[in-house]
Amino acid sequence: MNIPIGILSRSFQLIFAQPHRTLFVIAPGAVLYLFAAALLFMSVDQAAGPEASNAIKSYPMLAAAVVVTCLAWMSFAILWHRHALLEGDQRAKVMRPGADVYGQYFKSTLVIFLIMFVLVLGGGIATGIAALVVNVAAGPMIGGFASIGLLIAFFTGLSWVLLRISLILPAAATGHDMGYQHSWDATRPVARDIFWTAVLLAIINTVLQQLAIGLAGALPAYTLIFDIALAAIQGLVYVSVLSTLYGHLIQGRSLS
């Protein structure tokens, strides 16, 4: 477990070693997210009920909100990858990614999305069938526990695959072209360690979610703020783990 702990330790060091720098790097993405939220708010008829069929009053504005949300995520991730991985003279260009970087990152994200869509569709159907068979064979009580176990195993495996093919994202953010097969091959020597990293990430995300739920229960007026903070922390941890893996496996950096 030394390598998984080293990956997470290095990832959290990137986030918390210089809090002011972290805030500076993620600020453009955060501003774009707020802008997207404002567009989304204006695209919805606030007088209509949540189940109203005509709740959307401006589809062009809704489409703009979706586009800005995508730009926000890419800015958030690209700038963080560059902050974590660029060195020397390139450090001055961390906050100035060109349109080509955004284009390559979008293409790489689309590749990952398509791969994960196929895996979720196929794996989800297989998991559902397996859970149904166990439920019929062992009864509802044992079958219920088995179904939960199957779901946990499925999503952990999905996270493992995602981490192994996603080195193409930090590569794109730093101006390098990498295929998902290259990413898969590069992570093969530490495939088992990445699996345990995925398990630890699942535990961390569960703890964070329960913490957010508890805070929202105690302070319901701030539920939206807690949800936004949770999403930001989870996203930052994810891109930091990818940056750490890329730095270690591709750039030859130490995890210490």
Side-chain angles (χ1 to χ4, degrees):
M1 290 289 284
N2 287 339
I3 291 179
I5 292 173
I7 291 170
L8 290 178
S9 176
R10 177 61 179 163
S11 300
F12 281 109
Q13 284 177 21
L14 285 173
I15 298 171
F16 297 111
Q18 296 178 302
H20 61 288
R21 180 65 181 173
T22 296
L23 292 174
F24 176 73
V25 172
I26 68 174
V31 170
L32 284 172
Y33 271 124
L34 291 175
F35 182 45
L39 288 173
L40 180 62
F41 180 83
M42 291 186 290
S43 71
V44 177
D45 184 358
Q46 300 303 316
E51 299 179 359
S53 59
N54 60 345
I56 304 299
K57 65 179 181 181
S58 174
Y59 283 95
M61 195 167 290
L62 177 63
V66 173
V67 171
V68 174
T69 298
C70 292
L71 287 173
W73 164 249
M74 286 197 295
S75 296
F76 180 90
I78 288 171
L79 293 177
W80 188 259
H81 288 315
R82 290 168 67 85
H83 159 68
L85 297 170
L86 294 183
E87 293 183 320
D89 295 338
Q90 293 180 313
R91 290 292 295 168
K93 301 177 182 179
V94 166
M95 303 299 290
R96 300 198 300 272
D100 56 331
V101 171
Y102 276 86
Q104 181 64 29
Y105 201 88
F106 178 77
K107 185 176 75 173
S108 299
T109 302
L110 188 59
V111 169
I112 290 175
F113 173 80
L114 292 174
I115 292 173
M116 298 311 291
F117 176 78
V118 172
L119 291 176
V120 168
L121 185 62
I125 292 174
T127 301
I129 293 174
L132 181 61
V133 170
V134 172
N135 192 61
V136 171
M141 180 173 292
I142 296 177
F145 285 110
S147 296
I148 294 173
L150 285 170
L151 284 174
I152 292 173
F154 172 64
F155 284 112
T156 301
L158 199 65
S159 178
W160 176 74
V161 173
L162 182 62
L163 287 173
R164 289 198 59 186
I165 65 175
S166 290
L167 293 190
I168 64 177
L169 296 179
T174 53
H176 298 92
D177 190 9
M178 174 187 284
Y180 73 90
Q181 186 62 53
H182 184 185
S183 176
W184 184 265
D185 292 340
T187 56
R188 182 172 287 114
V190 292
R192 184 173 60 180
D193 299 302
I194 291 176
F195 172 80
W196 289 113
T197 301
V199 171
L200 291 175
L201 282 175
I203 294 172
I204 291 171
N205 283 331
T206 300
V207 171
L208 289 174
Q209 286 172 350
Q210 292 304 311
L211 180 60
I213 291 172
L215 290 173
L219 300 168
Y222 299 97
T223 299
L224 181 59
I225 294 176
F226 295 140
D227 288 341
I228 293 173
L230 174 63
I233 292 172
Q234 288 176 324
L236 197 53
V237 170
Y238 172 67
V239 294
S240 291
V241 167
L242 287 184
S243 297
T244 299
L245 284 171
Y246 186 87
H248 178 59
L249 297 172
I250 305 301
Q251 296 181 332
R253 298 188 185 188
S254 171
L255 291 176
S256 59

